[in-house]
Amino acid sequence: MTLADRLRGERVGVALSSAFFGFYGHAGFCRALAARGIEPVGWSGASAGAMVAAFAAARAVDRLPPVFAGLKRQDFWDPTRFVGRPPGLLRGHKFRDLLAAHLPYRTFEECPDGLVTVATDLTRGARHVDRSGALVPAVWASCALPILFRPVERGGALHADGGIVDKLPIAALIDHVEVDVLLAHHIPTRGVGARLPTTPGRFVERMLDIAREDGWRHQAALAEARGVEVIVIGSGDLPRVDPFRLGRGLAAMRAAEDGVGARLDRAG
């Protein structure tokens, strides 16, 4: 029996990690699941993972490849006149409008599958979990990468990238959706496995990355203690995509789909 065979008989939840422009890889992961008839009952995500989780819970992942194929930097690039405090190069309004144009539902409650997204509440200094209400603002906030995007104001608080506090939101999902198996798609932070940095700023980033990696592993251990099997599938070494190399996006999606598919087709 392959891993895919076994998962088809379980209540599967999926957690998608934060990753800089990792939505291409996450889309490939979802396509590999769909090709094997695996239909999760719930999804969670942080940052890029929140965006793809929203499309997956709406059963609309097939909308993403055409969007990716035509995506240009100017489609989401809306620089602010003033960097502001807290800072952010982009307002994020174009990104918000892209989400609104392509997500088929406006609220969490309308999605056919369970959905949980995570953002970082900068005002209160805490994790913020969304599982109801307006969908686009929650995903927009979860994707608001510091420095690149201005934080999103919601309910009197400033919200930013969910990956700051939750690299891979396992606990957020099992706290709100009943599952037997949690399948986690982990796109690693590139700096974690590299040589130790020599500049103070990069060294601080490395320490934060290590803390986030340790955090999701701790969540996985707690999930296992609660009787939920956790299976982590990693997608490292994908083609690097950023605002200036969007042309690599579809290659990254295909590479993730092939790698995840190979893992699902092995004995499990």
Side-chain angles (χ1 to χ4, degrees):
M1 179 180 289
T2 66
L3 177 58
D5 292 331
R6 183 163 69 84
L7 291 174
R8 281 192 290 269
E10 303 279 2
R11 291 178 301 175
V12 177
V14 171
L16 304 178
S17 73
S18 65
F20 186 57
F21 278 73
F23 39 80
Y24 295 98
H26 287 316
F29 170 86
C30 294
R31 286 165 59 88
L33 295 185
R36 289 155 182 81
I38 299 168
E39 299 179 348
V41 298
W43 302 80
S44 70
S47 194
M51 173 182 151
V52 177
F55 278 89
R59 300 183 185 174
V61 170
D62 285 346
R63 295 188 177 204
L64 290 175
V67 174
F68 292 163
L71 188 66
K72 298 178 177 60
R73 184 161 56 94
Q74 56 264 35
D75 294 334
F76 60 87
W77 202 259
D78 55 354
T80 58
R81 289 187 177 183
F82 304 100
V83 174
R85 301 176 68 180
L89 174 63
L90 306 179
R91 291 191 296 269
H93 295 173
K94 282 191 172 184
F95 176 70
R96 174 200 61 197
D97 294 344
L98 274 175
L99 293 173
H102 295 288
L103 278 169
Y105 300 114
R106 293 292 171 256
T107 67
F108 282 75
E109 290 84 352
E110 293 175 90
C111 293
D113 301 324
L115 174 64
V116 179
T117 64
V118 176
T120 301
D121 186 331
L122 299 176
T123 303
R124 300 179 178 89
R127 174 186 290 102
H128 180 90
V129 176
D130 282 291
R131 59 190 181 95
S132 63
L135 186 56
V136 167
V139 176
W140 176 27
S142 185
C143 293
L145 181 70
I147 307 302
L148 181 62
F149 286 109
R150 294 290 305 274
V152 177
E153 186 173 354
R154 303 172 66 209
L158 292 177
H159 288 186
D161 194 305
I164 298 171
V165 292
D166 213 343
K167 169 72 177 176
L168 188 51
I170 293 171
L173 180 61
I174 65 172
D175 282 345
H176 301 295
V177 181
E178 194 167 345
V179 301
D180 303 311
V181 180
L182 191 143
L183 194 57
H185 188 224
H186 177 248
I187 300 178
T189 303
R190 290 180 181 271
V192 170
R195 292 185 303 172
L196 282 175
T198 56
T199 63
R202 293 293 185 186
F203 194 77
V204 171
E205 286 181 12
R206 170 66 67 85
M207 290 189 290
L208 293 173
D209 288 339
I210 291 171
R212 284 190 286 265
E213 292 291 321
D214 183 69
W216 75 256
R217 291 190 176 93
H218 182 62
Q219 289 185 37
L222 291 176
E224 294 272 6
R226 291 171 56 175
V228 176
E229 181 184 6
V230 178
I231 301 170
V232 180
I233 298 180
S235 289
D237 299 323
L238 298 178
R240 185 167 177 79
V241 185
D242 60 38
F244 302 94
R245 291 180 280 194
L246 296 173
R248 300 178 179 180
L250 290 179
M253 184 183 74
R254 289 190 291 267
E257 183 175 357
D258 290 345
V260 172
R263 173 68 183 90
L264 292 170
D265 292 339
R266 291 204 301 268

